Amino acid sequence: MPGKLKVKIVAGRHLPVMDRASDLTDAFVEVKFGNTTFKTDVYLKSLNPQWNSEWFKFEVDDEDLQDEPLQITVLDHDTYSANDAIGKVYIDIDPLLYSEAATVISGWFPIYDTIHGIRGEINVVVKVDLFNDLNRFRQSSCGVKFFCTTSIPKCYRAVIIHGFVEELVVNEDPEYQWIDRIRTPRASNEARQRLISLMSGELQRKIGLKVLEMRGNAVVGYLQCFDLEGESGLVVRAIGTACTLDKLSSPAAFLPACNSPSKEMKEIPFNEDPNPNTHSSGPSTPLKNQTYSFSPSKSYSRQSSSSDTDLSLTPKTGMGSGSAGKEGGPFKALLRQQTQSALEQREFPFFTLTAFPPGFLVHVGGVVSARSVKLLDRIHNPDEPETRDAWWAEIRQEIKSHAKALGCHAVVGYSESTSICEEVCILSASGTAAVLNPRFLQDGTVEGCLEQRLEENLPAGCGFCHIPYDELNMPFPAHLTYCYNCRKQKVPDVLFTTIDLPMDAAVIGKGCLIQARLCRLKKKAQAEANATAISNLLPFMEYEVHTQLMNKLKLKGMNALFGLRIQISVGENMLMGLASATGVYLAALPTPGGIQIAGKTPNDGSYEQHISHMQKKINDTIAKNKELYEINPPICEEIIGSPIPEPRQRSRLLRSQSESSDEVTELDLSHGKKDAFVLEIDDTDAMEDVHSLLTDVPPPSGFYSCNTEIMPGINNWTSEIQMFTSVRVIRLSSLNLTNQALNKNFNDLCENLLKSLYFKLRSMIPCCLCHVNFTVSLPEDELIQVTVTAVAITFDKNQALQTTKTHAEKSLQRASTDNEELLQFPLELCSDSLPSHPFPPAKEHLESASSNSGIPAAQRATSVDYSSFADRCSSWIELIKLKAQTIRRGSIKTTVTVEKASPVGEGNFRNRSSPPCANSTVGVVKMTPLSFIPGAKITKYLGIINMFFIRETTSLREEGGVSGFLHAFIAEVFAMVRAHVAALGGNAVVSYIMKQCVFMENPNKNQAQCLINVSGDAVVFVRESELEVVSTQQPAATCQPSCTGGEVTT
Amino acid sequence: MTSELDIFVGNTTLIDEDVYRLWLDGYSVSDAVALRVRSGILEQTGATAAVLQSDTMDHYRTFQMLERLLHAPPKLLHQLIFQIPPSRQALLIERYYAFDEAFVREVLGKKLSKGTKKDLDDISTKTGITLKSCRRQFDNFKRVFKVVEEMRGSLVDNIQQHFLLSDRLARDYAAIVFFANNRFETGKKKLQYLSFGDFAFCAELMIQNWTLGAVDPQADDMDMDLDKEFLQDLKELKVLVADKDLLDLHKSLVCTALRGKLGVFSEMEANFKNLSRGLVNVAAKLTHNKDVRDLFVDLVEKFVEPCRSDHWPLNDVRLFLNQYAASVHSLDGFRHQALWDRYMGTLRGCLLRLCHD
């Protein structure tokens, strides 16, 4: 009996009119948790009721606290007939259950109805008193923190990264129960929302239990998904990475780049280290010798000391450092063994993280993926979800074996997904095979290794590119060269990964979003036959997606893909493949060769000419892209280390399909074409492919896009961010359903969507679309739905501008005198970046100089802008507020003086910018799919936001058709997320993701339904500039009342 | 391939000022797209017409959703659905309530009723403003009128508080509401030369001095209705023209003071009795609603036009009116000095404003 939940209903506002006669509402509230319900009094005849209720107290198990949502229902009292429901609010009280997160939930929540949408707001206060529970057999896991963020959260430090946790729960879908035939759509939707809320609570609790078993205290990279299997049920599944996290005591000292390890060292005693002496006394000599003997890679000698501390710190593996020495294998094998032993207890050495503490990621093998086609059958016993468990276990096993084949013992950036159509389901899993530093996986302390890593790491920024597999015994044919960075290790010619670009990776130029898009027609079929048809198509799709990616990568002049996500969706009569990734040029990898086109009939002159024309076009495009993305690798001394790589490509991609019959078929992509650089044009199809390659238009100037967290090559972010969701559905005309037409339609759909985004966000230029996440689904026969969520972040073209800007803000008057000083900034910054590119510096200097001269003008322009409309507006809104309190005669005179006063006050208004304005109305809550907020510091994580909404309408036309309906719904979802975050005391959601957006329509019946599932981490952030500005703001703040005082008295 | 559904929802609601203007001006989506194409936006941004179409649709949809909130601007500030920075909220409100000069001149002083709404077609044809825009402007007038109609306190303050308008716009609305309430005739041909600004100026003076609120800040409708008692009392001023001695004395006082200072002295001298009769009779007639409505017509007929026909310079008008008003204080037989000041103080301001071409 370890918890007491207390709820207070304060007030409502903007309620809908429920009584037509009086145009008013007699509202009261039901507060329900578990099986207990309380009611407030009826507040008669008001659209803004003030209930001010007592504290409703629920005494509950912490197990229930975790599973159940608090359910608040607002109703209209009716004396004669049944009370009408106005709407509901579900509040997940999980954030109140761990000590560091929120302590109270208090604020205005939108009252939501699945038929009418948001109908007013309700002010609620929720608190939880937890008693200590010492029961060892407890079923709850209160206190385990959950993060959607796929990296170590910013104000925490990873002590141990334990590894993979997964769980799934199944249930019958209320929508498909017999009772659904007799209940209203509203009741059915609410039953579904409630069930899913319950199931995700249960899931989270169960995952938490597993984490506690592993002795962790947090789950990072928590990803929860729903499979709406229709008749056969509802599956809620989740994966994550269990960790032991330590809160950093002073977040101020902690820089996002996590490069202040020395400080942390002092804070943490080495009491967990079993044998600190081994640091020095380890038998480093034999190892060193051996690594010397281990032929070409001399760099290992330098690394040896780090490696033997590795050993000494992992005594549990049962492999002492001595034995390692005796074994005498090459270091690589040794490292692998350590890692293996660290990971071998684990069933699945998977990590859902995509970004890692420095030193964690040693080598990256490549992408591993597995898919399997299954036939859904009814889940007979919800308590025993064994079939689904077995399906996933099978796929994970496969992933594991693929990783092994790549010489890796772990999979990072791991994710799972499904696509369901009728009774066929494609399960997919993918990740990046990697070799990890075992220290993080055990209970050693991170910093020790961290520090050493920093000191005596492999040459910075290329270590992860070095191949983890044995050169002589490669898992697949690949072309290896010596690393272009350190010249000591072998690297592949291209690298595909599902993770984010490591912080320290050496990159040349900027990155860009690369997409492969593909449609394949499929015959309509039933059950087994359908599954077989799909299984047969999958390998071809994978192959083609891969080829497209590779070609587009070459066309961009790049050599690596990060954040690769391949989505295969199944529909009634087609399959869609959509792969998104961020292409970059890794300095460590060889320069990609061009693309060559080979014709089939070499004798035809005009044909030849056409081919050469195409070839020229391709070459031009490559050149143009290189310029666009600023890819100018140093050409010097290239020949020393290795020969220029032959234009051959081999995939890092290993995958296979297994169909319902569990047959596993391996697909070796290298068998397809011996040389992917050469595009053979042997039929019109191929011609078309080449054309489509060239039709991808680059984003307009000033725009960049990527699907990773950060854009390689851009780091001077400014603070403006705009998260958005865009949805498009197209209907294919059924006449011309050929593969080509489909491909073209799909391609156009995606390209147009991107173009629209660029156009809409043009006011933010220069900006970058980050974390661009495309989801494709086939809701009906001829419909294709594409959903995009991303964030646009502004950046400064040259850092120079930024420094001057902040300067200008700090001291307006000094601006002129400082000019000279400012001038030096850009120069310095440029010269900083110069050494890496030995290029004519004159040009860069010129650029910076010109930008400099532009600064004053730009500055002036913005200040004019400010003082003009926006500021006047915000200022008089404030004035009105003041006046509302002192509304008396003689206002005209008053306002006249205010007008006079405004030029004086204007300076204040400008300084105060957004936050103070916000306090007057609704607090601003930022949302972003990234794990950070540019220009700000996250000071606190308040808990996970995981919400599921259903919206339905029977008056589609009246609500503005499908577009109007969905537009309003998504806006409402955003609003509800923001309200929950604000109620937790937060001002942002990071790692926000819209996991599901299932839209169904029936225009003939004037009906539509949509299900949306979103999640993210609620946080508190503080602007970096704000910390500094506080001092300068003080006078402004004190000036403010005096101004207003003057105004009132006159 | 047809687009079934196409939406864009930002965490911060995107507002395109240009599209907002087109929407407010009542253009259909296709017209708006055509106008945007003509503005050269495609060349500037390299976008396609399809992109523009989709963008325009999106904005229009957003505005339609916002319109409900704009009808009660405080709701826009407190709602949670659209996250809009305060400066943008203010812009949305201000632009939504802004009106066209040409339109307001057509409906100023008319009853804001269904009947007038039916005439919007004609107004639209006459002014070239789209019917949709006319409707919005008309509905805005009507909405503001309804909300502040029976409210205590200053009209401008009430409007500002309930519609969050800028001071200037709130004062304009106060004038519109005041005119609509008192049904002043503004549409006559001889009044066509007057701008909305002229009327708004007069309205402000009248609200300040002639309404109930001018004497009792707690009165209902205080700024909307003219002070009936005051209007009744104005009859007393009649003595100024009815009593021959008083009229002569008044004339001689004014003439003595202005001799040599006025370019149009002789004309003034000749016309004095006519002008004075005109101004005092206007006052005396204000007890009848019909005559209140014709206030501006009368003022123009009885004062502005005679001055204009004699080519009085504005400065002479000012000197005359000042002297005309002030001299009454020296009339010993006249007992209604305060009443005269309340009347003439406002009228002088109005007349000066009305005297232009």
Side-chain angles (χ1 to χ4, degrees), chain A residues 186-291:
Chain A
R186 175 181 285 121
S188 160
N189 291 339
E190 282 174 3
R192 251 178 139 184
Q193 284 194 167
R194 197 181 129 70
L195 177 70
I196 289 191
S197 187
L198 260 172
M199 284 169 80
S200 33
E202 183 191 343
L203 193 71
Q204 220 169 305
R205 175 173 58 82
K206 285 186 168 168
I207 292 241
L209 280 172
K210 289 191 173 178
V211 172
L212 290 177
E213 256 168 53
M214 296 165 98
R215 297 181 183 281
N217 64 3
V219 182
V220 179
Y222 184 67
L223 179 72
Q224 183 192 294
C225 291
F226 301 94
D227 297 332
L228 300 166
E229 296 185 351
E231 290 281 338
S232 55
L234 187 61
V235 176
V236 186
R237 55 190 166 79
I239 55 175
T241 305
C243 293
T244 302
L245 298 183
D246 247 10
K247 185 148 173 74
L248 291 169
S249 44
S250 63
F254 186 71
L255 296 166
C258 13
N259 45 13
S260 57
S262 54
K263 179 151 190 191
E264 288 148 34
M265 277 269 287
K266 287 169 207 145
E267 285 164 15
I268 288 99
F270 276 80
N271 53 1
E272 279 182 41
D273 192 335
N275 195 358
N277 291 333
T278 45
H279 270 287
S280 50
S281 69
S284 54
T285 10
L287 228 175
K288 226 175 230 166
N289 289 341
Q290 265 131 23
T291 45

Side-chain angles (χ1 to χ4, degrees), chain A residues 661-822:
Chain A
S661 56
D662 294 349
E663 283 168 31
V664 179
T665 50
E666 284 272 337
L667 174 76
D668 186 355
L669 290 161
S670 59
H671 286 312
K673 281 174 185 168
K674 277 281 172 234
D675 196 342
F677 275 127
V678 180
L679 289 179
E680 268 182 70
I681 303 187
D682 42 9
D683 57 8
T684 44
D685 270 21
M687 193 63 108
E688 210 127 311
D689 287 350
V690 176
H691 272 299
S692 72
L693 262 186
L694 294 167
T695 50
D696 273 13
V697 268
S701 74
F703 263 112
Y704 292 92
S705 53
C706 63
N707 77 333
T708 46
E709 281 251 310
I710 45 159
M711 176 69 176
I714 299 179
N715 47 19
N716 41 346
W717 304 109
T718 50
S719 57
E720 197 188 339
I721 64 171
Q722 166 72 291
M723 188 283 297
F724 59 85
T725 292
S726 186
V727 185
R728 273 195 192 186
V729 177
I730 57 159
R731 184 176 292 279
L732 303 159
S733 47
S734 49
L735 296 171
N736 57 348
L737 279 187
T738 60
N739 275 337
Q740 279 103 331
L742 263 180
N743 276 335
K744 186 172 173 344
N745 278 334
F746 184 36
N747 215 28
D748 287 352
L749 172 60
C750 294
E751 283 292 314
N752 288 339
L753 188 47
L754 280 171
K755 270 186 221 159
S756 264
L757 297 181
Y758 296 138
F759 180 76
K760 279 204 174 288
L761 299 163
R762 65 192 185 283
S763 64
M764 292 179 79
I765 285 178
C767 92
C768 178
L769 297 188
C770 292
H771 214 285
V772 178
N773 186 8
F774 271 71
T775 329
V776 59
S777 58
L778 300 157
E780 271 172 59
D781 251 8
E782 272 121 32
L783 294 185
I784 303 178
Q785 178 190 330
V786 175
T787 311
V788 186
T789 299
V791 63
I793 311 183
T794 55
F795 64 92
D796 266 323
K797 262 234 145 86
N798 26 21
Q799 254 153 328
L801 209 65
Q802 191 181 20
T803 39
T804 48
K805 248 190 201 159
T806 48
H807 252 270
E809 266 163 37
K810 278 181 213 154
S811 54
L812 279 167
Q813 312 112 312
R814 281 203 311 151
S816 56
T817 53
D818 273 4
N819 243 351
E820 265 177 72
E821 189 183 316
L822 295 179

Side-chain angles (χ1 to χ4, degrees), chain A residues 64 70 88 96 157 252 308 496 559 570 607 799 953 962 989 1000:
Chain A
D64 285 342
L70 176 67
K88 289 191 180 209
L96 295 178
R157 191 180 60 88
D308 57 31
F496 283 15
N559 58 18
V570 57
Y607 187 71
Q799 254 153 328
T953 185
V962 285
V989 190
M1000 288 157 288

Side-chain angles (χ1 to χ4, degrees), chain B residues 150-162:
Chain B
E150 287 177 355
M151 218 171 254
R152 280 162 187 246
S154 143
L155 190 56
V156 178
D157 283 352
N158 285 339
I159 292 172
Q160 263 196 319
Q161 199 193 346
H162 287 89

